[in-house]
Amino acid sequence: MTSPADTHIEPRRPGAVAWLRLTQAEARMTVRDTAGLVVPLGLPLLILVMQAISFDDVNQQLPSGVTVLSYYLLPVVVTLVIATIAVINMPSFLAMYRKTKVLRRLAVTPASPAMLLVAQMVVSFIQVLVGIGVAYGVAVLFFGASLPQSPLTAAAVLLAACAAMYGVGMIVASVSPTPNSAVAIGLIAFFGLAALGGMFGPVENLPDSLQQVAGWLPFASAVEAFQHAWVAEAVPAQNWTVLVLSAVVGAAVAAALFRWE
């Protein structure tokens, strides 16, 4: 006869329904966070409109056949959407969960903290797609923007840019002890990367030394890679290298420093 002590019951692993409900919960949290929802959609859109109406030649076609707006401005706007969500929003959510002991409670349930991390990234990636869609829709309707001439390359760059920016975001989440510090550090990282990546003007306008620094940062590399995709040119190896290294370094730092509680 088997005693209760000899009975070993394997815990049930979360199924597809659990993953779906956790993702839905994360989506509701994101929608309720007004600032986190509006800023990634509104800031890039504001920069797009302000830049587009301040130049008379945004509809001028380049020799490649795309407009000035499509080549110079849309890559910056797309990268802004990605960076805002990955570097500012996502780390603040993780820091809040850590402070409120949500991650600690999940660690003793079949739903591990890693599930929450995956759900948060899924929701934020959907938010990225919505932000890009809104900005691009306005650019097409009001400023005559065009699609990238190499859509597959643009899609690959989008995935690589997301991985790179999430890598930066995980570093921010790893070193931020509180939600407020996560927002503060995320803003500093965001504006530092964006300022050197073209948010306030073409990288070519920066001093030579800053241009060289920008070339090894993920924001400027993403913008340049998108520009090449827009005119159906091969993306330089340096851009791919920077984006991949940013993702790898971010994952390594997070693995070493990130704490669930």
Side-chain angles (χ1 to χ4, degrees), residues 58-84:
V58 290
N59 292 323
Q60 179 183 346
Q61 284 198 343
L62 299 173
S64 58
V66 302
T67 62
V68 170
L69 179 140
S70 299
Y71 182 78
Y72 288 105
L73 190 53
L74 278 182
V76 175
V77 171
V78 170
T79 309
L80 276 173
V81 174
I82 301 170
T84 306

Side-chain angles (χ1 to χ4, degrees), residues 16-151:
V17 175
W19 283 92
L20 178 60
R21 289 182 177 175
L22 188 57
T23 304
Q24 290 173 338
E26 285 301 301
R28 285 194 292 270
M29 290 288 294
T30 301
V31 171
R32 291 169 183 169
D33 181 20
T34 305
L37 185 66
V38 172
V39 172
L41 304 181
L43 179 61
L45 190 59
L46 178 64
I47 291 176
L48 169 67
V49 174
M50 289 180 62
Q51 293 282 356
I53 64 178
S54 64
F55 295 101
D56 297 328
D57 58 349
V58 290
N59 292 323
Q60 179 183 346
Q61 284 198 343
L62 299 173
S64 58
V66 302
T67 62
V68 170
L69 179 140
S70 299
Y71 182 78
Y72 288 105
L73 190 53
L74 278 182
V76 175
V77 171
V78 170
T79 309
L80 276 173
V81 174
I82 301 170
T84 306
I85 294 170
V87 179
I88 301 175
N89 281 17
M90 189 267 292
S92 66
F93 273 104
L94 294 183
M96 179 185 66
Y97 292 150
R98 183 168 53 210
K99 181 180 180 181
T100 56
K101 309 295 184 181
V102 171
L103 300 178
R104 181 180 180 181
R105 295 188 184 102
L106 281 176
V108 296
T109 70
S112 68
M115 286 182 62
L116 187 65
L117 177 59
V118 172
Q120 174 59 221
M121 288 189 171
V122 169
V123 172
S124 60
F125 182 69
I126 294 173
Q127 194 178 1
V128 165
L129 296 180
V130 172
I132 292 173
V134 170
Y136 186 75
V138 170
V140 170
L141 289 175
F142 297 101
F143 302 107
S146 58
L147 283 168
Q149 293 184 352
S150 179

